[in-house]
Every structure is written in C-alpha cells, then in structure tokens.
Amino acid sequence: MIPMVDLKRQYREIAGEIDAALRAVIDGTRFILGPNVSAFEQECATYLGVPHAVACASGTDALMLALRAAGIGDGDEVITSPFTFIATAEAIRHVGAIPVFVDIDPQSFNLDPDLIEATVTRHTRAVLPVHLFGQPADMEHIAGLCERYGLQLIEDCAQSFGASLPDGRMTGSVGDFGAFSFFPSKNLGGYGDGGLVTARSEEHEGKLRALRNHGSFKQYHHDMIGYNSRLDEMQAAILRVKLGRIDDYNEHRRRVANTYGSLLEGTGIVTPRETGHGRHVYHQYTILTGKRRNRIQTALSNVEIASAIYYPVPLHRQKVFAEDWRDIPLPVAESVAQQCLSLPIFPELTDEEIERIAAVIRDAL
Ligand SMILES: Cc1ncc(COP(=O)(O)O)c(C=O)c1O
C-alpha cells in the first residue's frame, strides 16, 4: 500500500522532539497564545522574510482574516483562480465579497496574469493568486498589475510553504498579505488545523491580531466583530520542530518530482512543468493524463497505490457558484480538471516506491 501522504514515517523520525515539545506545553499549561505561538510567529517571519506574521486557526481563516484586515467586504470584487480548493473562494464570500474567476495558465495551473486586466472593474479591490501545488504564481506580473490598478494583493500560500521567487523572496512575502495553512498534509503540517497570515504593514498586523481574538485590541474591549481563530499552543510546538526541517522536506519533494519526471518520460503523459516564476516545492505532483485518467487510476488502485483528483470540478462550475457563471467558460481550468491526476508525494517516499508507481503507470498505458 502506498498512500498519498504517509505522516507516520515522518513522525517516527522526529518523535523524540515532538513528544518532548508536547510534554513541555502540558507541563507549562499555557495552552492559548503562549510562548510557542509567539516564538513560532517570530520564526516564520524570519524564515519568510516578512516584518509580521500572525498565527491563526486554519488556512481558511488566514484568508478570511487577511481579507477583513484589508478592509474588503460587501460587494467588493476579488480576482482569483477557479482551479483551487474551495476555501480560496469561500473566504472571499464569507467577508461579503464576490470572487471573480480568471482562467489559468495551462502549464503552471496558476492564474493567467494576461487575463486579469480585462476583468478589473470599479468594484475590484484585490487579486488573490494561489501558488497551486507549491509552484509560485507569476508574482512579478501580478504585483505590477496590482500596483497599476491600486489593488491589494493577497497570496494564498496554503500549498507553498518554503517556495521562493526567482529573486529569492519567499511566497507570502510579496503581497500585502500571505495566507498559509498547516493542515497535516501540507508541506509544513501540524497535527490538527492551523494557519498563519503574513503582513507587510504594522497597521495590518494589529488588525489581524485583534480579528483573530474577538476583535479585541485590549482585553475585554472590542472594536469590531472578530473571530476565535487562534493557533493552538500544541500545534505551534509541533510546527516549530518541523519548521527547522522544512527546507530538507521540500528538497526531498523535489527529488521525488525529478525521479517521477525521468521515469514517466516518453509515456505521453504531461508531467509538471516548472514555469520559471520561482522554486516549486511540490505540495502535489500532478500529471495530465489526456483521456487515460480512469485507466491509470484503476491500475494504481488495483495494486493499492493511492492517487487523487485535485480538483475534479473548477470553482465556477461548483453548485455554489455555478448559477452566476453558467454562460462563462474558463476552458483551461475545465480541461485541466478533466485530466489531472495527483500521484503520491511526500519527503519520505523512496526511489523504489516511485519506480513501482511509474512502472504501473507505464504498464497501464
Ligand atoms: C489552496 C488552498 N487554500 C486554502 C486552504 C485552506 O486551508 P485549511 O484547510 O487550513 O483551512 C487549502 C487547504 O486546505 C488550500 O489547499
């Protein structure tokens, strides 16, 4: 059996440190907004090269907090990708704004910057690109457009912790805000839900801190309607252990991707292409199968190898949004959704396992 992600293997290697970190939290009994959360925020800010980082309860909340702190609300339009997890657009709707989907680039599966300009209206307030599957979006182009049109830039970095741009800046350090998820299977994953927002301005940081804690700048004084969205101290303690290893984990993901790439060459399958907008950290390894997706998936599943379709239905075709988008085709997102297939990838996946997976795919074709 080869799963999409095997968190047990990773835990076995770091169990001593994790167990000790959890024991220290329990002994200290500072369970909410304690020393590990503060230290983790500081360590993330340093790692990501940003002045401010505010931890919260999930990646979905991170997006919502960023949108709220940016002052985005009722009737505002936010340009984003239709080919992402629902949370990206859900957060936009949660603050009362409208997601405006722009088609994706067929090679990176990220927002196509050439299509953004035509969708800007007088209601547009922000662009929210997703660094999908760990590959940075074309931030130079997108940031330039935001500057030209006076739009805020919010990066969805849920899948891209540790990915960097060609100039060395990390994803999440370019926009006004970066939203990260620490869902267990993410490149930097906790043992439960967790998230973090980066901010460039002190004013935004203050708002984020207040919003995540019931809209309170001063205890029991509430200036706005906020949330209970704090990162748990135990998660922070776990994430600190793993943050120290993130570059190594990402390096191994790249090794897995390279091995897949050479083993699947010549099969006619389209393997992930690095588009030159930054260093891919392969949260997912997603191939395009043409019409052969079912055949490949069945062959893998017959020998207990997992695979997954991220994502089978683009957001503009989801029931919650479909009514407004009925007559608007986004052909690249639709075509990719019909042929994408994600293969197992995690830092501990061995070369022998990758060879087995590739051999099954080759046989199936
Ligand atoms: C692109 C993207 N955005 C947002 C999220 C939401 O993160 P979370 O599950 O931590 O709420 C996820 C992952 O789940 C994601 O993949």
Side-chain angles (χ1 to χ4, degrees):
M1 164 77 192
I2 305 178
M4 290 297 287
V5 184
D6 187 344
L7 295 175
K8 277 190 197 154
R9 286 191 214 178
Q10 192 181 70
Y11 172 66
R12 264 184 235 125
E13 283 173 26
I14 56 176
E17 274 181 74
I18 295 277
D19 294 0
L22 288 176
R23 172 55 57 198
V25 174
I26 295 166
D27 284 343
T29 68
R30 299 248 336 252
F31 296 121
I32 303 293
L33 297 183
N36 279 290
V37 169
S38 307
F40 179 61
E41 288 178 337
Q42 197 47 56
E43 287 156 9
C44 279
T46 303
Y47 179 84
L48 297 168
V50 291
H52 310 288
V54 178
C56 63
S58 72
T60 308
D61 280 8
L63 287 164
M64 212 160 61
L65 292 167
L67 288 156
R68 282 283 308 275
I72 290 165
D74 281 347
D76 292 333
E77 293 176 3
V78 178
I79 294 169
T80 194
S81 169
F83 194 62
T84 172
F85 182 57
I86 185 71
T88 312
E90 201 176 33
I92 296 170
R93 288 299 287 133
H94 266 309
V95 304
I98 301 158
V100 174
F101 300 116
V102 163
D103 212 353
I104 55 170
D105 170 80
Q107 303 204 331
S108 66
F109 313 142
N110 281 327
L111 205 51
D112 183 342
D114 288 330
L115 305 176
I116 291 178
E117 213 158 352
T119 65
V120 175
T121 73
R122 65 193 172 87
H123 300 293
T124 310
R125 295 287 310 283
V127 181
L128 203 171
V130 182
H131 304 297
L132 196 77
F133 302 150
Q135 169 141 251
D138 182 355
M139 291 307 287
E140 196 184 331
H141 196 154
I142 295 171
L145 285 170
C146 287
E147 195 151 336
R148 183 156 359 126
Y149 288 95
L151 305 174
Q152 304 209 55
L153 178 51
I154 301 172
E155 300 174 65
D156 184 336
C157 308
Q159 304 185 3
S160 72
F161 200 103
S164 54
L165 305 192
D167 62 10
R169 285 181 298 167
M170 307 301 275
T171 57
S173 73
V174 182
D176 301 283
F177 300 91
F180 292 85
S181 162
F182 304 124
F183 186 83
S185 61
K186 295 292 196 269
N187 290 36
L188 179 62
Y191 291 176
D193 278 310
L196 179 117
V197 194
T198 56
R200 298 239 297 269
S201 87
E202 210 166 300
E203 186 198 337
H204 284 158
E205 185 220 4
K207 267 192 173 172
L208 290 166
R209 290 197 183 283
L211 282 166
R212 78 164 173 191
N213 199 19
H214 302 287
S216 161
F217 286 95
K218 187 175 155 198
Q219 201 174 21
Y220 303 124
H221 293 74
H222 304 275
D223 300 8
M224 54 192 164
I225 295 296
Y227 310 86
N228 174 352
S229 182
R230 300 168 299 225
L231 180 69
D232 187 84
E233 186 72 4
M234 296 226 199
Q235 298 307 330
I238 292 164
L239 289 163
R240 290 183 71 197
V241 172
K242 293 177 73 170
L243 180 61
R245 294 172 164 81
I246 188 66
D247 287 341
D248 186 42
Y249 290 154
N250 283 338
E251 207 43 63
H252 273 285
R253 287 177 177 275
R254 290 183 58 80
R255 165 191 59 83
V256 173
N258 282 336
T259 310
Y260 269 132
S262 48
L263 293 171
L264 293 174
E265 222 173 87
T267 54
I269 275 174
V270 179
T271 53
R273 211 148 326 150
E274 297 192 13
T275 45
H277 302 303
R279 190 167 172 279
H280 200 327
V281 291
Y282 291 97
H283 173 58
Q284 296 297 342
Y285 187 85
T286 302
I287 57 174
L288 293 182
T289 60
K291 290 191 187 324
R292 298 169 295 180
R293 184 164 69 184
N294 263 347
R295 198 196 309 175
I296 295 171
Q297 233 190 341
T298 307
L300 290 169
S301 126
N302 284 344
V303 291
E304 296 199 314
I305 295 171
S307 62
I309 298 172
Y310 303 128
Y311 298 94
V313 181
L315 298 191
H316 67 295
R317 294 284 174 250
Q318 295 284 351
K319 204 167 171 187
V320 280
F321 298 120
E323 185 68 12
D324 293 338
W325 289 84
R326 200 174 346 153
D327 304 319
I328 307 171
L330 297 173
V332 181
E334 285 158 38
S335 156
V336 170
Q338 278 168 16
Q339 12 160 358
C340 59
L341 186 67
S342 299
L343 302 177
I345 188 163
F346 50 93
E348 300 78 15
L349 193 66
T350 65
D351 286 347
E352 292 69 37
E353 286 170 316
I354 305 165
E355 278 159 23
R356 234 182 92 206
I357 296 166
V360 174
I361 295 174
R362 282 183 164 277
D363 283 351
L365 297 172

mmCIF file with all atom_site columns, all heavy atoms in Angstrom, residues 84-98:
data_model
loop_
_atom_site.group_PDB
_atom_site.id
_atom_site.type_symbol
_atom_site.label_atom_id
_atom_site.label_alt_id
_atom_site.label_comp_id
_atom_site.label_asym_id
_atom_site.label_entity_id
_atom_site.label_seq_id
_atom_site.pdbx_PDB_ins_code
_atom_site.Cartn_x
_atom_site.Cartn_y
_atom_site.Cartn_z
_atom_site.occupancy
_atom_site.B_iso_or_equiv
_atom_site.pdbx_formal_charge
_atom_site.auth_seq_id
_atom_site.auth_comp_id
_atom_site.auth_asym_id
_atom_site.auth_atom_id
_atom_site.pdbx_PDB_model_num
ATOM 1   N N   . THR A 1 84 ? -8.611  25.691 -7.716 1.00 0.00 ? 84 THR A N   1
ATOM 2   C CA  . THR A 1 84 ? -8.035  25.697 -6.377 1.00 0.00 ? 84 THR A CA  1
ATOM 3   C C   . THR A 1 84 ? -9.013  25.011 -5.452 1.00 0.00 ? 84 THR A C   1
ATOM 4   O O   . THR A 1 84 ? -10.114 24.628 -5.866 1.00 0.00 ? 84 THR A O   1
ATOM 5   C CB  . THR A 1 84 ? -7.763  27.149 -5.918 1.00 0.00 ? 84 THR A CB  1
ATOM 6   O OG1 . THR A 1 84 ? -7.366  27.155 -4.528 1.00 0.00 ? 84 THR A OG1 1
ATOM 7   C CG2 . THR A 1 84 ? -9.003  28.036 -6.016 1.00 0.00 ? 84 THR A CG2 1
ATOM 8   N N   . PHE A 1 85 ? -8.631  24.852 -4.194 1.00 0.00 ? 85 PHE A N   1
ATOM 9   C CA  . PHE A 1 85 ? -9.546  24.306 -3.200 1.00 0.00 ? 85 PHE A CA  1
ATOM 10  C C   . PHE A 1 85 ? -10.611 25.365 -2.893 1.00 0.00 ? 85 PHE A C   1
ATOM 11  O O   . PHE A 1 85 ? -10.331 26.565 -2.923 1.00 0.00 ? 85 PHE A O   1
ATOM 12  C CB  . PHE A 1 85 ? -8.747  23.936 -1.940 1.00 0.00 ? 85 PHE A CB  1
ATOM 13  C CG  . PHE A 1 85 ? -9.577  23.308 -0.867 1.00 0.00 ? 85 PHE A CG  1
ATOM 14  C CD1 . PHE A 1 85 ? -10.313 22.157 -1.118 1.00 0.00 ? 85 PHE A CD1 1
ATOM 15  C CD2 . PHE A 1 85 ? -9.624  23.860 0.408  1.00 0.00 ? 85 PHE A CD2 1
ATOM 16  C CE1 . PHE A 1 85 ? -11.078 21.580 -0.110 1.00 0.00 ? 85 PHE A CE1 1
ATOM 17  C CE2 . PHE A 1 85 ? -10.382 23.286 1.410  1.00 0.00 ? 85 PHE A CE2 1
ATOM 18  C CZ  . PHE A 1 85 ? -11.116 22.141 1.150  1.00 0.00 ? 85 PHE A CZ  1
ATOM 19  N N   . ILE A 1 86 ? -11.807 24.910 -2.578 1.00 0.00 ? 86 ILE A N   1
ATOM 20  C CA  . ILE A 1 86 ? -12.950 25.797 -2.357 1.00 0.00 ? 86 ILE A CA  1
ATOM 21  C C   . ILE A 1 86 ? -12.670 26.915 -1.340 1.00 0.00 ? 86 ILE A C   1
ATOM 22  O O   . ILE A 1 86 ? -13.230 28.018 -1.445 1.00 0.00 ? 86 ILE A O   1
ATOM 23  C CB  . ILE A 1 86 ? -14.196 24.962 -1.917 1.00 0.00 ? 86 ILE A CB  1
ATOM 24  C CG1 . ILE A 1 86 ? -15.460 25.821 -1.798 1.00 0.00 ? 86 ILE A CG1 1
ATOM 25  C CG2 . ILE A 1 86 ? -13.944 24.240 -0.590 1.00 0.00 ? 86 ILE A CG2 1
ATOM 26  C CD1 . ILE A 1 86 ? -16.028 26.282 -3.086 1.00 0.00 ? 86 ILE A CD1 1
ATOM 27  N N   . ALA A 1 87 ? -11.788 26.649 -0.369 1.00 0.00 ? 87 ALA A N   1
ATOM 28  C CA  . ALA A 1 87 ? -11.540 27.619 0.711  1.00 0.00 ? 87 ALA A CA  1
ATOM 29  C C   . ALA A 1 87 ? -11.152 29.000 0.169  1.00 0.00 ? 87 ALA A C   1
ATOM 30  O O   . ALA A 1 87 ? -11.489 30.022 0.774  1.00 0.00 ? 87 ALA A O   1
ATOM 31  C CB  . ALA A 1 87 ? -10.439 27.109 1.636  1.00 0.00 ? 87 ALA A CB  1
ATOM 32  N N   . THR A 1 88 ? -10.443 29.029 -0.967 1.00 0.00 ? 88 THR A N   1
ATOM 33  C CA  . THR A 1 88 ? -9.987  30.307 -1.520 1.00 0.00 ? 88 THR A CA  1
ATOM 34  C C   . THR A 1 88 ? -11.181 31.218 -1.796 1.00 0.00 ? 88 THR A C   1
ATOM 35  O O   . THR A 1 88 ? -11.225 32.370 -1.357 1.00 0.00 ? 88 THR A O   1
ATOM 36  C CB  . THR A 1 88 ? -9.185  30.073 -2.827 1.00 0.00 ? 88 THR A CB  1
ATOM 37  O OG1 . THR A 1 88 ? -8.226  29.041 -2.608 1.00 0.00 ? 88 THR A OG1 1
ATOM 38  C CG2 . THR A 1 88 ? -8.489  31.325 -3.288 1.00 0.00 ? 88 THR A CG2 1
ATOM 39  N N   . ALA A 1 89 ? -12.175 30.685 -2.508 1.00 0.00 ? 89 ALA A N   1
ATOM 40  C CA  . ALA A 1 89 ? -13.348 31.500 -2.862 1.00 0.00 ? 89 ALA A CA  1
ATOM 41  C C   . ALA A 1 89 ? -14.336 31.603 -1.705 1.00 0.00 ? 89 ALA A C   1
ATOM 42  O O   . ALA A 1 89 ? -15.033 32.606 -1.561 1.00 0.00 ? 89 ALA A O   1
ATOM 43  C CB  . ALA A 1 89 ? -14.034 30.898 -4.081 1.00 0.00 ? 89 ALA A CB  1
ATOM 44  N N   . GLU A 1 90 ? -14.360 30.564 -0.882 1.00 0.00 ? 90 GLU A N   1
ATOM 45  C CA  . GLU A 1 90 ? -15.244 30.560 0.286  1.00 0.00 ? 90 GLU A CA  1
ATOM 46  C C   . GLU A 1 90 ? -14.911 31.741 1.206  1.00 0.00 ? 90 GLU A C   1
ATOM 47  O O   . GLU A 1 90 ? -15.805 32.430 1.697  1.00 0.00 ? 90 GLU A O   1
ATOM 48  C CB  . GLU A 1 90 ? -15.006 29.242 1.022  1.00 0.00 ? 90 GLU A CB  1
ATOM 49  C CG  . GLU A 1 90 ? -16.088 28.786 1.940  1.00 0.00 ? 90 GLU A CG  1
ATOM 50  C CD  . GLU A 1 90 ? -15.721 27.416 2.507  1.00 0.00 ? 90 GLU A CD  1
ATOM 51  O OE1 . GLU A 1 90 ? -14.523 27.113 2.720  1.00 0.00 ? 90 GLU A OE1 1
ATOM 52  O OE2 . GLU A 1 90 ? -16.644 26.644 2.726  1.00 0.00 ? 90 GLU A OE2 1
ATOM 53  N N   . ALA A 1 91 ? -13.621 31.953 1.414  1.00 0.00 ? 91 ALA A N   1
ATOM 54  C CA  . ALA A 1 91 ? -13.195 33.054 2.294  1.00 0.00 ? 91 ALA A CA  1
ATOM 55  C C   . ALA A 1 91 ? -13.650 34.399 1.714  1.00 0.00 ? 91 ALA A C   1
ATOM 56  O O   . ALA A 1 91 ? -14.087 35.289 2.454  1.00 0.00 ? 91 ALA A O   1
ATOM 57  C CB  . ALA A 1 91 ? -11.676 33.027 2.456  1.00 0.00 ? 91 ALA A CB  1
ATOM 58  N N   . ILE A 1 92 ? -13.566 34.529 0.388  1.00 0.00 ? 92 ILE A N   1
ATOM 59  C CA  . ILE A 1 92 ? -13.991 35.779 -0.260 1.00 0.00 ? 92 ILE A CA  1
ATOM 60  C C   . ILE A 1 92 ? -15.478 36.000 -0.002 1.00 0.00 ? 92 ILE A C   1
ATOM 61  O O   . ILE A 1 92 ? -15.912 37.087 0.377  1.00 0.00 ? 92 ILE A O   1
ATOM 62  C CB  . ILE A 1 92 ? -13.677 35.730 -1.780 1.00 0.00 ? 92 ILE A CB  1
ATOM 63  C CG1 . ILE A 1 92 ? -12.158 35.648 -2.008 1.00 0.00 ? 92 ILE A CG1 1
ATOM 64  C CG2 . ILE A 1 92 ? -14.290 36.927 -2.511 1.00 0.00 ? 92 ILE A CG2 1
ATOM 65  C CD1 . ILE A 1 92 ? -11.740 35.356 -3.449 1.00 0.00 ? 92 ILE A CD1 1
ATOM 66  N N   . ARG A 1 93 ? -16.288 34.945 -0.167 1.00 0.00 ? 93 ARG A N   1
ATOM 67  C CA  . ARG A 1 93 ? -17.731 35.056 0.062  1.00 0.00 ? 93 ARG A CA  1
ATOM 68  C C   . ARG A 1 93 ? -18.043 35.321 1.532  1.00 0.00 ? 93 ARG A C   1
ATOM 69  O O   . ARG A 1 93 ? -18.966 36.055 1.860  1.00 0.00 ? 93 ARG A O   1
ATOM 70  C CB  . ARG A 1 93 ? -18.458 33.780 -0.413 1.00 0.00 ? 93 ARG A CB  1
ATOM 71  C CG  . ARG A 1 93 ? -18.538 33.619 -1.897 1.00 0.00 ? 93 ARG A CG  1
ATOM 72  C CD  . ARG A 1 93 ? -19.303 34.745 -2.603 1.00 0.00 ? 93 ARG A CD  1
ATOM 73  N NE  . ARG A 1 93 ? -20.746 34.696 -2.389 1.00 0.00 ? 93 ARG A NE  1
ATOM 74  C CZ  . ARG A 1 93 ? -21.491 35.751 -2.053 1.00 0.00 ? 93 ARG A CZ  1
ATOM 75  N NH1 . ARG A 1 93 ? -20.936 36.928 -1.845 1.00 0.00 ? 93 ARG A NH1 1
ATOM 76  N NH2 . ARG A 1 93 ? -22.780 35.615 -1.908 1.00 0.00 ? 93 ARG A NH2 1
ATOM 77  N N   . HIS A 1 94 ? -17.263 34.709 2.417  1.00 0.00 ? 94 HIS A N   1
ATOM 78  C CA  . HIS A 1 94 ? -17.510 34.882 3.852  1.00 0.00 ? 94 HIS A CA  1
ATOM 79  C C   . HIS A 1 94 ? -17.411 36.340 4.296  1.00 0.00 ? 94 HIS A C   1
ATOM 80  O O   . HIS A 1 94 ? -18.063 36.739 5.250  1.00 0.00 ? 94 HIS A O   1
ATOM 81  C CB  . HIS A 1 94 ? -16.548 34.031 4.682  1.00 0.00 ? 94 HIS A CB  1
ATOM 82  C CG  . HIS A 1 94 ? -17.121 32.700 5.047  1.00 0.00 ? 94 HIS A CG  1
ATOM 83  N ND1 . HIS A 1 94 ? -18.354 32.542 5.629  1.00 0.00 ? 94 HIS A ND1 1
ATOM 84  C CD2 . HIS A 1 94 ? -16.631 31.450 4.898  1.00 0.00 ? 94 HIS A CD2 1
ATOM 85  C CE1 . HIS A 1 94 ? -18.601 31.262 5.826  1.00 0.00 ? 94 HIS A CE1 1
ATOM 86  N NE2 . HIS A 1 94 ? -17.573 30.578 5.373  1.00 0.00 ? 94 HIS A NE2 1
ATOM 87  N N   . VAL A 1 95 ? -16.555 37.115 3.637  1.00 0.00 ? 95 VAL A N   1
ATOM 88  C CA  . VAL A 1 95 ? -16.449 38.529 4.043  1.00 0.00 ? 95 VAL A CA  1
ATOM 89  C C   . VAL A 1 95 ? -17.443 39.393 3.256  1.00 0.00 ? 95 VAL A C   1
ATOM 90  O O   . VAL A 1 95 ? -17.428 40.620 3.382  1.00 0.00 ? 95 VAL A O   1
ATOM 91  C CB  . VAL A 1 95 ? -15.005 39.078 3.909  1.00 0.00 ? 95 VAL A CB  1
ATOM 92  C CG1 . VAL A 1 95 ? -14.025 38.228 4.707  1.00 0.00 ? 95 VAL A CG1 1
ATOM 93  C CG2 . VAL A 1 95 ? -14.563 39.181 2.454  1.00 0.00 ? 95 VAL A CG2 1
ATOM 94  N N   . GLY A 1 96 ? -18.279 38.776 2.434  1.00 0.00 ? 96 GLY A N   1
ATOM 95  C CA  . GLY A 1 96 ? -19.311 39.508 1.694  1.00 0.00 ? 96 GLY A CA  1
ATOM 96  C C   . GLY A 1 96 ? -18.889 39.932 0.303  1.00 0.00 ? 96 GLY A C   1
ATOM 97  O O   . GLY A 1 96 ? -19.652 40.575 -0.413 1.00 0.00 ? 96 GLY A O   1
ATOM 98  N N   . ALA A 1 97 ? -17.677 39.571 -0.086 1.00 0.00 ? 97 ALA A N   1
ATOM 99  C CA  . ALA A 1 97 ? -17.167 39.991 -1.403 1.00 0.00 ? 97 ALA A CA  1
ATOM 100 C C   . ALA A 1 97 ? -17.500 38.933 -2.471 1.00 0.00 ? 97 ALA A C   1
ATOM 101 O O   . ALA A 1 97 ? -18.026 37.867 -2.165 1.00 0.00 ? 97 ALA A O   1
ATOM 102 C CB  . ALA A 1 97 ? -15.668 40.228 -1.330 1.00 0.00 ? 97 ALA A CB  1
ATOM 103 N N   . ILE A 1 98 ? -17.178 39.279 -3.720 1.00 0.00 ? 98 ILE A N   1
ATOM 104 C CA  . ILE A 1 98 ? -17.537 38.421 -4.860 1.00 0.00 ? 98 ILE A CA  1
ATOM 105 C C   . ILE A 1 98 ? -16.262 37.889 -5.514 1.00 0.00 ? 98 ILE A C   1
ATOM 106 O O   . ILE A 1 98 ? -15.412 38.686 -5.941 1.00 0.00 ? 98 ILE A O   1
ATOM 107 C CB  . ILE A 1 98 ? -18.337 39.240 -5.905 1.00 0.00 ? 98 ILE A CB  1
ATOM 108 C CG1 . ILE A 1 98 ? -19.606 39.793 -5.240 1.00 0.00 ? 98 ILE A CG1 1
ATOM 109 C CG2 . ILE A 1 98 ? -18.682 38.409 -7.138 1.00 0.00 ? 98 ILE A CG2 1
ATOM 110 C CD1 . ILE A 1 98 ? -20.179 40.997 -5.954 1.00 0.00 ? 98 ILE A CD1 1
#
